[in-house]
Amino acid sequence: MPHLALYTFGVLKSPLADPSPLTREFHESGEAAYREIAQQPGYLARAESADRSLGARTDFDADWGDWGEFVVPAWYGKGRTVETIALAATLSLWADLRPAFDAIYGGLHRGALNRRYDWFERTGHPGHVFWWVSGGVIPTWQDGVSRLEHLHDHGSAPHAFTFQHPFAADGTPTSVKGAGPGATGCTVQP
């Protein structure tokens, strides 16, 4: 059974190590949102460093195990050290599109999305990308970066897509009906 991979990437207005209230607020709200998302039906897993003592979710030197080496899109031009890194990236697996939609556009994460422009720069690049993987396959950070760059260059396609222009596992266009948490399944467009 295929699973849905999701890669997100954003460039922060200030480094994660910045002690400013805005950076602390982003980090604290993100941690709570991730804990809530991990409890959602349809959530399968997310990339986490094998050495959680590093304290950063996105660390170039961390051991990410089967999720591969941590990489970022070519257009990211800010810091790459613990003191200067100014990005937030996630890589996760979902059972299907509907549970991902409900988790991302509901609860604490919805509140964080409403504040995203307080924390993130507007880069002109997509902030997320989905693609289907075979059951048992763990996507890598490189897969996510490649799909995000493909989405930016070519738009939504079965290879790399967004919530706004999604595709079913068989490659057919689909939609997420009922644009809110609790709405029922995805349906194929005619």
Side-chain angles (χ1 to χ4, degrees), residues 6-10 34 46-47 57-58 70 88-92 127 141 144:
L6 168 60
Y7 173 71
T8 67
F9 187 84
Y34 286 127
R46 75 176 168 121
R57 286 191 309 272
T58 49
F70 184 75
T90 65
L91 181 59
S92 57
W141 290 106

Side-chain angles (χ1 to χ4, degrees), residues 26-131:
F26 164 74
H27 185 69
E28 289 166 2
S29 68
E31 288 301 320
Y34 286 127
R35 283 191 301 274
E36 183 179 89
I37 285 173
Q39 302 303 311
Q40 297 296 311
Y43 168 85
L44 301 175
R46 75 176 168 121
E48 292 188 90
S49 165
D51 183 2
R52 293 184 189 187
S53 68
L54 294 173
R57 286 191 309 272
T58 49
D59 188 324
F60 289 90
D61 297 323
D63 175 5
W64 293 93
D66 292 339
W67 301 89
E69 178 185 353
F70 184 75
V71 295
V72 296
W75 50 265
Y76 172 73
K78 288 196 172 183
R80 293 175 182 256
T81 67
V82 173
E83 296 81 24
T84 63
I85 197 167
L87 64 89
T90 65
L91 181 59
S92 57
L93 274 173
W94 295 85
D96 206 346
L97 191 59
R98 180 84 243 170
F101 183 89
D102 289 345
I104 292 166
Y105 287 104
L108 295 173
H109 195 268
R110 181 180 183 92
L113 281 176
N114 290 340
R115 302 266 333 267
R116 68 186 172 272
Y117 296 123
D118 291 343
W119 303 317
F120 291 95
E121 294 179 2
R122 295 178 191 232
T123 64
H125 294 268
H128 75 279
V129 64
F130 288 105
W131 69 99

Side-chain angles (χ1 to χ4, degrees), residues 135-187:
V137 170
I138 296 175
T140 66
W141 290 106
Q142 183 60 58
D143 295 335
V145 168
S146 296
R147 303 286 176 141
L148 190 73
E149 290 174 343
H150 186 275
L151 176 66
H152 177 261
D153 294 343
H154 304 286
S156 277
H159 179 76
F161 56 90
T162 65
F163 276 131
Q164 293 77 21
H165 301 285
F167 288 83
D170 66 5
T172 58
T174 190
S175 65
V176 182
K177 295 286 186 187
T184 58
C186 298
T187 58

Side-chain angles (χ1 to χ4, degrees), residues 14 45 107 136 173:
S14 63

